[in-house]
Amino acid sequence: MGGNRGRTQRKHFRKSRENVWKKDRSDNPSSEKSSWEPFATQNLDFEEYYKGQGIVPQEEWDVFMEILRKPLPASFRINSSGQFFKDIRSQLENDFMKSFEAEVPDGELEPIRPLPWYPENLGWHSNFSRMQLRKNQTLERFHEFLKQENEIGNITRQEAVSMVPPLFLDVHRHHFVLDMCAAPGSKTFQLLEIIHQSTEPGLLPDGMVIANDADTQRCNLLIHQTKRMCSANLIVTNHEAQHFPSCHSNKNCLDISETESFKDPMISQLLFDSVLCDVPCSGDGTLRKAPDIWRKWNAGMGNGVHRLQVQIAMRGIQLLKVGGRMVYSTCSMNPVENEAVVAEILRRCGGSVELLDVSTELPQLVRRPGLKKWKVRDKGIWLASYKDVPRYRRGAIVPSMFPSGSSSDTGNAPSDGLQEDTGPLEDLDMGNSPSSVKRLKNGGNIDCGEGLGQLENFVIPTVVSDDEVSSLPLERCMRILPHDQNTGAFFIAVFHKLSPLSAATLENQGQLTSGNMELPKKLADELIEDTNELEINPSEDGGGHLYSEVTSDADLPDKQPEEGALEPDSNGICEEKEPEESNIHGDGETSLESSKNVKRKLQIQGKWRGVDPVVFFRDETIISSIKAFYGVNESFALDGHLVTRNLDTHHVKRIYYISKSVQGVLNLNFLAGQRLKIASVGLKTFERQTSREGTSTECAFRISSEGLPLLLPYITKQILCASLVDFKHLLQYKTIKFADFVDAEFGEKASKLKLGCCIFVLRKESEGTSDPVRVDASTIAIGCWKGKSNISVMVSTIDCQELLQRLSLQSGNERGSLAQENKHSSLEVDGTEPTDDLDVNQEPGTIEQVPIS
């Protein structure tokens, strides 16, 4: 959802989308000789619908359709908070662009170029599709560059129009941001970049991001994507967006001894400065990326998600602070999913919310104004007004879909939208053509949609109403069309909250139009998952159900305790119900089976079944050993900033660091009765030693690669400066004996380090061998293991290759020469595994690792 574009919140989406651009290879040799025809990129209903809606002038129609039938070019974004983002940008501008220019004939389009509207040349567009990136040697090298930098987190491969919504949120470093429908995570990553931009080493911004998604498996993908950002300012939650919970201080469920651990939670209510509401949609703006939509598309797809979109958007407005911004966006071109939703939000909120005119922001972005006039198409019939909707369709077609939003019936037409007929009815074909209306025999049963039963003596009226025109300033919305700048299609609207919502508005949220809100399975399967970067096949049990109404904060019910869940007893003290078996995996190292049939006090964040609890780590013995072993400066706050996902804090494998803002949210969430279902939180900073010699070290925990940049400015022990040549040798060979270092003095110092984790920093040319370690934004450091006779690198192979390439480029050596040698180097390690384990904050086995291609 959002983060990137349309998707369903239901569990029916079981199949991954087929890649119809690829030729189907068969084992039958005879089939290879037969001619292969690409998938038909046309749909007459699609063309009739959007011609009727007038989304482009008639003279542009052919160009519009022609570009829709072409594959989508690749695009990507440079991580502006990355250490090497300037080097990567320079490499693109001075290496790849010049290489391509030498090979491309004059007059042809630039192979790659920065997006003119994206700030600081950090967004890039390629005129090659993914299939073309292996066309020649230069393109192959470029493709490998994209894959490597994407996996490390230096760039994010993302559709160009998908980058737009976060730019209109006006996010600052101190903002609390909510991404309501975040998976697969490219927009969340973008929001994290913004709040971390220009942050000094060892310092964290005051703001934070909560990234939410309704589907469990998509949450795992979201965690995997945002893990590359290495942020302590992120919480990933798993809720249906239209029912995202509010958090208010509520100490009724706490024992006094527990509340003593929670000082001032810093915030008394969880509200947000910025809300990104990128809702589930029919996804026809992604036709160039997912051409299988051509054969699936029908007008009912947009009609079916309209009310859910309104619900999610209204919940976002409720959670938005006064003075804050909310961006509503879809990857659909359908006005029923776009302008109709925006208009309904404005009507419900009255003067509390305004639709902003942002036409002066990002002036080089080509965009078109929103529509003020559209119609609704249902069962092959055009409906210009709600009064034209037959009674039996009013469970599916609601007034908010029309420009006026009015449900009043005026004129001479019957109030139920039906007209009597003097003769018997024959057959009624609810097909795709308005001319296909036929007669039905008296008392016949018709199966053509929700709410349709036995009908007598009626005909479907010919629509005679004049087209409605909205009086709201919908021209302030933005439509991005594919043929304007060779992209996908997108819709964006920016809201500004002027005042709190009225009591009447909040009360009416529980009184939406009645009707069957369950999407038909066929429709649910046709709703489009966002695959800007990755594709995933959601699990059957993820996703949850759609609800028929939006509720206010007061109306949001707590979920009924599930078997094995934690709930308060009659005395107000939280206790655990008797579980069938443990659902808490706790790093895979503990089990609660022994506690069966035994009641116990609630552990922090242990409410949600199947989700590992978030427990504040307060073991003073371990914290003191970490401080003493690494010489952590007292100015670096550890107390109250460490959490784990294991109830048994004596057998913790991973410790996560959280920012002050995240700490405040966790404290508030506990005081509010654990309303947030947290899938991931914080930055993995310490990991228990897993080597043969790990048990003999003075400190049981080593520093993870993700947490090293945060801790580096505060470490005074187990840290050495290495010369460029020795630093490269470590990256290249992974393991070096003390006597084999080029700098003998450095080798001797390394041999005197304590057994266990240590940090090596690349010494700058201006620094001497005996100078103290100084850390700034340009400092390059790696984690290593000091064994009995050698030093081993604890960095992944791809990170080693990346650093070698950066150092080779900086020193003027041939690009990647040492990286090529690295492929043949030994990976022998003395007493430890050299690389950090992939971790998604949830415990092992909870996520399927998705390769980046």
Side-chain angles (χ1 to χ4, degrees):
M1 296 175 197
N4 307 330
R5 317 266 288 273
R7 63 198 60 87
T8 178
Q9 288 193 345
R10 290 173 56 78
K11 59 187 177 183
H12 299 302
F13 199 98
R14 301 174 183 178
K15 296 181 179 180
S16 58
R17 286 226 306 277
E18 58 188 286
N19 187 344
V20 297
W21 291 119
K22 291 185 178 180
K23 181 175 179 178
D24 183 22
R25 296 182 179 180
S26 172
D27 294 333
N28 186 356
S30 61
S31 65
E32 297 180 359
K33 298 179 182 179
S34 61
S35 60
W36 174 79
E37 296 182 1
F39 192 84
T41 54
Q42 63 180 3
N43 185 312
L44 296 180
D45 291 340
F46 173 89
E47 296 190 37
E48 181 184 358
Y49 183 79
Y50 282 119
K51 277 185 178 180
Q53 299 289 19
I55 62 169
V56 297
Q58 185 60 39
E59 61 271 18
E60 297 181 27
W61 182 258
D62 291 339
V63 177
F64 168 72
M65 291 300 298
E66 180 182 0
I67 201 75
L68 275 181
R69 294 185 173 105
K70 293 182 178 179
L72 184 70
S75 54
F76 58 93
R77 192 187 69 254
I78 302 173
N79 179 2
S80 58
S81 63
Q83 184 176 18
F84 301 111
F85 84 93
K86 292 182 179 179
D87 293 339
I88 293 173
R89 182 175 58 190
S90 176
Q91 188 175 354
L92 288 166
E93 293 171 341
N94 301 317
D95 181 2
F96 287 109
M97 284 189 70
K98 292 182 179 179
S99 298
F100 286 139
E101 287 173 1
E103 297 186 16
V104 175
D106 293 339
E108 290 193 11
L109 294 175
E110 294 177 287
I112 62 170
R113 59 179 173 81
L115 293 167
W117 46 266
Y118 202 93
E120 301 182 36
N121 278 7
L122 295 175
W124 285 74
H125 169 95
S126 167
N127 281 311
F128 302 110
S129 67
R130 293 188 179 187
M131 294 292 290
Q132 295 172 308
L133 284 177
R134 294 182 176 87
K135 188 175 181 180
N136 57 44
Q137 185 175 358
T138 303
L139 286 179
E140 184 177 358
R141 182 167 67 91
F142 178 61
H143 188 237
E144 292 301 318
F145 164 82
L146 291 181
K147 288 196 299 183
Q148 175 173 294
E149 301 299 338
N150 182 86
E151 185 171 346
I152 293 171
N154 289 332
I155 70 169
T156 297
R157 298 177 70 173
Q158 182 180 2
E159 187 177 348
V161 288
S162 175
M163 305 176 192
V164 176
L167 299 180
F168 284 105
L169 268 181
D170 192 28
V171 173
H172 297 278
R173 297 180 67 248
H174 63 279
H175 277 182
F176 278 48
V177 185
L178 172 63
D179 190 348
M180 299 188 74
C181 308
S186 58
K187 292 187 184 69
T188 303
F189 199 103
Q190 200 172 352
L191 294 169
L192 287 169
E193 286 179 33
I194 296 173
I195 68 169
H196 279 280
Q197 200 166 11
S198 303
T199 302
E200 293 297 322
L203 299 179
L204 294 174
D206 296 328
M208 54 92 65
V209 176
I210 292 184
N212 177 72
D213 202 272
D215 185 89
T216 303
Q217 189 168 354
R218 290 182 61 82
C219 271
N220 289 334
L221 173 60
L222 170 61
I223 294 166
H224 177 72
Q225 284 283 72
T226 54
K227 174 181 178 289
R228 301 173 303 137
M229 184 65 198
C230 298
S231 174
N233 297 64
L234 172 68
I235 299 176
V236 177
T237 59
N238 178 210
H239 294 280
E240 289 177 326
Q242 71 272 28
H243 291 281
F244 189 88
S246 294
C247 284
H248 305 265
S249 295
N250 180 7
K251 300 182 181 180
N252 294 334
C253 192
L254 293 179
D255 185 272
I256 295 178
S257 61
E258 290 287 351
T259 59
E260 291 176 353
S261 300
F262 294 91
K263 308 281 171 124
D264 180 10
M266 295 177 286
I267 52 176
S268 60
Q269 182 179 3
L270 184 57
L271 294 174
F272 299 91
D273 302 277
S274 306
V275 174
L276 179 58
C277 187
D278 191 51
V279 296
C281 67
S282 60
D284 55 26
T286 65
L287 278 166
R288 302 184 66 186
K289 180 176 58 180
D292 54 311
I293 301 174
W294 282 106
R295 62 181 173 85
K296 295 180 178 180
W297 187 94
N298 64 77
M301 294 170 66
N303 296 342
V305 291
H306 167 83
R307 284 181 291 183
L308 173 63
Q309 293 164 339
V310 173
Q311 292 173 25
I312 294 175
M314 284 302 301
R315 187 64 187 143
I317 293 291
Q318 292 174 19
L319 295 168
L320 187 65
K321 292 179 182 178
V322 173
R325 274 193 184 190
M326 185 183 86
V327 168
Y328 174 86
S329 61
T330 77
C331 57
S332 169
M333 295 178 281
N334 194 340
V336 174
E337 303 176 67
N338 298 330
E339 287 88 352
V341 175
V342 172
E344 181 66 5
I345 295 170
L346 294 175
R347 285 190 290 265
R348 292 191 186 187
C349 296
S352 298
V353 171
E354 69 171 332
L355 183 62
L356 290 181
D357 180 1
V358 291
S359 57
T360 59
E361 299 181 26
L362 303 183
Q364 292 183 287
L365 175 68
V366 181
R367 86 288 299 267
R368 303 191 184 207
L371 304 178
K372 295 176 72 73
K373 174 182 173 182
W374 66 88
K375 296 175 288 186
V376 176
R377 190 168 175 85
D378 179 54
K379 299 296 182 180
I381 297 175
W382 285 109
L383 304 169
S385 173
Y386 185 69
K387 67 184 180 182
D388 300 317
V389 181
R391 182 178 297 278
Y392 69 87
R393 293 300 297 162
R394 293 194 176 188
I397 306 300
V398 294
S400 59
M401 294 180 180
F402 296 88
S404 71
S406 174
S407 61
S408 61
D409 293 322
T410 59
N412 298 324
S415 60
D416 60 358
L418 306 178
Q419 294 178 349
E420 292 187 0
D421 188 21
T422 57
L425 299 176
E426 307 294 335
D427 295 321
L428 177 63
D429 177 13
M430 299 299 288
N432 292 325
S433 172
S435 62
S436 62
V437 176
K438 300 179 182 179
R439 296 180 178 271
L440 177 71
K441 295 181 180 180
N442 292 342
N445 290 323
I446 307 175
D447 182 16
C448 58
E450 300 94 324
L452 184 59
Q454 291 192 345
L455 303 174
E456 298 183 359
N457 296 335
F458 78 97
V459 293
I460 304 300
T462 303
V463 176
V464 293
S465 303
D466 294 333
D467 292 348
E468 293 182 353
V469 179
S470 176
S471 60
L472 299 168
L474 299 180
E475 69 279 359
R476 297 178 183 175
C477 302
M478 291 171 281
R479 283 181 164 267
I480 300 177
L481 296 179
H483 62 297
D484 286 335
Q485 47 207 339
N486 196 16
T487 62
F490 222 79
F491 175 86
I492 302 160
V494 183
F495 294 93
H496 178 224
K497 191 169 183 178
L498 301 173
S499 63
L501 298 182
S502 66
T505 300
L506 295 176
E507 182 179 356
N508 289 335
Q509 296 316 308
Q511 301 175 3
L512 289 180
T513 307
S514 62
N516 184 7
M517 279 302 297
E518 292 293 330
L519 295 179
K521 183 178 185 302
K522 179 179 179 182
L523 171 62
D525 287 341
E526 289 175 350
L527 291 178
I528 303 308
E529 293 267 5
D530 177 28
T531 53
N532 284 334
E533 306 79 39
L534 304 172
E535 293 189 3
I536 188 168
N537 182 16
S539 60
E540 291 189 14
D541 59 350
H545 299 286
L546 302 179
Y547 287 80
S548 60
E549 58 187 29
V550 173
T551 57
S552 65
D553 292 352
D555 294 330
L556 280 174
D558 283 320
K559 292 191 175 182
Q560 293 296 321
E562 295 177 320
E563 190 172 9
L566 306 176
E567 63 176 3
D569 66 4
S570 58
N571 296 320
I573 298 177
C574 295
E575 295 184 345
E576 183 179 14
K577 297 183 73 175
E578 298 176 4
E580 282 189 355
E581 59 182 9
S582 173
N583 286 300
I584 302 169
H585 303 289
D587 290 321
E589 65 218 71
T590 186
S591 172
L592 294 183
E593 291 180 2
S594 61
S595 65
K596 187 174 182 179
N597 299 322
V598 177
K599 290 188 175 182
R600 49 181 308 207
K601 187 182 295 184
L602 169 69
Q603 297 291 333
I604 299 171
Q605 304 295 335
K607 173 182 178 180
W608 298 97
R609 179 171 182 172
V611 177
D612 296 318
V614 180
V615 182
F616 279 91
F617 186 78
R618 305 183 189 277
D619 190 320
E620 291 297 333
T621 303
I622 293 179
I623 294 176
S624 297
S625 70
I626 290 174
K627 288 182 178 180
F629 187 76
Y630 297 107
V632 179
N633 194 295
E634 290 297 328
S635 62
F636 185 72
L638 286 177
D639 295 337
H641 289 267
L642 300 179
V643 298
T644 183
R645 304 307 301 267
N646 188 353
L647 286 176
D648 187 356
T649 56
H650 297 292
H651 295 85
V652 168
K653 279 189 176 181
R654 300 180 183 90
I655 302 174
Y656 303 88
Y657 191 89
I658 57 174
S659 67
K660 186 177 180 180
S661 54
V662 171
Q663 178 195 39
V665 172
L666 292 183
N667 286 343
L668 177 64
N669 184 46
F670 181 71
L671 296 174
Q674 305 170 60
R675 295 179 65 86
L676 294 178
K677 183 180 179 182
I678 297 175
S680 174
V681 62
L683 173 66
K684 184 177 69 173
T685 306
F686 301 107
E687 288 189 282
R688 187 176 291 275
Q689 310 282 13
T690 58
S691 69
R692 295 189 300 270
E693 299 173 348
T695 56
S696 60
T697 62
E698 295 182 14
C699 179
F701 287 83
R702 63 183 175 92
I703 300 174
S704 71
S705 294
E706 294 96 322
L708 178 57
L710 180 65
L711 275 172
L712 188 61
Y714 305 97
I715 298 174
T716 60
K717 298 179 181 178
Q718 293 291 105
I719 184 170
L720 291 177
C721 284
S723 65
L724 177 62
V725 62
D726 281 331
F727 199 86
K728 284 185 174 182
H729 284 168
L730 275 170
L731 295 174
Q732 180 181 353
Y733 300 114
K734 301 294 181 64
T735 299
I736 298 180
K737 293 183 178 181
F738 302 135
D740 293 338
F741 282 104
V742 175
D743 185 343
E745 182 182 354
F746 173 79
E748 183 179 353
K749 288 182 178 180
S751 67
K752 295 179 180 179
L753 293 173
K754 294 179 181 179
L755 184 69
C757 178
C758 57
I759 308 300
F760 287 168
V761 176
L762 175 61
R763 186 171 65 235
K764 298 178 182 179
E765 294 181 359
S766 59
E767 296 177 348
T769 56
S770 59
D771 291 344
V773 178
R774 296 187 180 90
V775 176
D776 57 31
S778 63
T779 300
I780 299 176
I782 57 174
C784 297
W785 176 267
K786 190 264 182 179
K788 293 180 178 179
S789 60
N790 57 27
I791 297 291
S792 300
V793 173
M794 294 191 295
V795 179
S796 67
T797 300
I798 191 168
D799 284 330
C800 287
Q801 292 175 350
E802 163 70 6
L803 277 176
L804 279 168
Q805 290 177 357
R806 294 289 152 218
L807 295 176
S808 296
L809 288 173
Q810 291 177 4
S811 60
N813 293 338
E814 182 179 354
R815 175 184 173 87
S817 58
L818 288 176
Q820 294 299 321
E821 297 177 26
N822 182 49
K823 294 181 180 179
H824 307 290
S825 65
S826 170
L827 205 60
E828 179 185 356
V829 179
D830 177 20
T832 189
E833 296 177 2
T835 60
D836 284 339
D837 295 331
L838 286 174
D839 170 68
V840 295
N841 200 244
Q842 287 190 321
E843 303 312 325
T846 62
I847 180 173
E848 175 185 355
Q849 298 296 336
V850 184
I852 309 295
S853 62

